[in-house]
């Protein structure tokens, strides 16, 4: 009976070790956010995902509303353009943008724009399919330009900080 108990315990421990190692591998594979700092409007930007998919090289950025005046303008636009009630729109905390890049890397198109509240609930989501995307020439001041080297692998993905024990 003790021998069976030991075998079951060893099996459970081995299974647990396998699950933990697989979850650690997936966690380290995800890129860590890159802080792009503030833009000219004093809005805080982060690169949260990037790489290559079926559309080509892509990047996803988040703009946090650290400037109350710009936040109010965006809330007013959401209320006016999308007929979302003022109370819901006022919960705006950040906006996430998806970008895809042209093959030559000189242009980008927006693939989606999602507005979120502080809890992560979507206030308004807009997606652009391949036919509805408008490619725009990039300049050095643009956030998509800053994200491009990460999306193409020219700048290395940020590694997660080691966990403190």
């Amino acid at each position: 009976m003790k021998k069976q108990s030991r075998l079951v315990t060893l099996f459970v421990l081995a299974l647990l070790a396998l699950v933990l190692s697989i979850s650690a591998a997936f966690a380290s594979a995800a890129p860590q956010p890159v802080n792009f700092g503030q833009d000219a409007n004093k809005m805080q930007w982060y690169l949260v995902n990037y790489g290559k998919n079926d559309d080509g090289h892509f990047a996803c950025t988040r703009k946090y509303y650290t400037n109350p005046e710009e936040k109010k303008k965006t809330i007013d636009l959401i209320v006016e353009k999308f007929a979302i009630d003022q109370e819901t729109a006022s919960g705006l905390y950040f906006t996430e943008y998806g970008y895809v890049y042209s093959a030559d890397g000189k242009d980008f198109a927006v693939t989606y724009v999602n507005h979120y509240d502080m809890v992560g609930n979507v206030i308004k989501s807009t997606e652009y399919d391949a036919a509805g995307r408008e490619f725009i020439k990039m300049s050095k001041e643009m956030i998509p330009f800053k994200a491009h080297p990460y999306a193409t692998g020219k700048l290395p993905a940020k590694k997660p900080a080691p966990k403190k024990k």
Side-chain angles (χ1 to χ4, degrees):
M1 188 72 166
K2 280 187 175 183
K3 191 173 185 177
Q4 283 181 332
S5 172
R6 283 188 203 153
L7 287 175
V8 169
T9 303
L10 286 174
F11 176 75
V12 169
L13 288 173
L15 189 60
L16 182 61
L18 178 65
V19 168
L20 289 174
S21 65
I22 289 172
S23 63
F26 280 117
S28 66
Q32 295 298 302
V34 177
N35 185 345
F36 284 150
Q38 290 188 338
D39 64 12
N41 295 319
K42 295 188 168 91
M43 304 294 262
Q44 185 68 39
W45 286 85
Y46 290 91
L47 175 65
V48 293
N49 197 4
Y50 47 91
K52 190 170 184 176
N53 61 19
D54 293 342
D55 289 335
H57 294 287
F58 76 93
C60 302
T61 62
R62 285 186 185 167
K63 172 176 67 174
Y64 287 86
Y65 291 90
T66 51
N67 180 339
E69 293 169 12
E70 290 297 317
K71 180 178 180 177
K72 179 162 178 16
K73 287 179 192 176
T74 304
I75 290 169
D76 292 345
L77 182 69
I78 291 170
V79 169
E80 180 184 329
K81 187 172 182 179
F82 302 113
I84 293 175
D85 65 273
Q86 183 73 35
E87 184 179 347
T88 301
S90 293
L92 181 66
Y93 187 60
F94 69 89
T95 299
E96 187 171 280
Y97 299 87
Y99 308 117
V100 67
Y101 297 95
S102 61
D104 66 4
K106 295 180 180 178
D107 303 319
F108 77 97
V110 176
T111 58
Y112 70 90
V113 178
N114 295 337
H115 301 284
Y116 294 91
D117 65 14
M118 188 177 274
V119 187
N121 296 320
V122 175
I123 294 172
K124 173 64 181 156
S125 177
T126 306
E127 291 189 31
Y128 302 96
D129 61 8
R133 295 177 189 157
E134 180 182 339
F135 279 85
I136 302 165
K137 187 159 194 67
M138 288 191 289
S139 68
K140 290 182 181 182
E141 300 81 37
M142 297 175 140
I143 295 297
F145 180 85
K146 293 177 180 181
H148 185 259
Y150 292 94
T152 57
K154 292 178 182 170
L155 283 177
K158 300 287 184 183
K159 301 292 182 199
K163 293 183 180 180
K164 295 179 182 176
K165 293 182 180 180

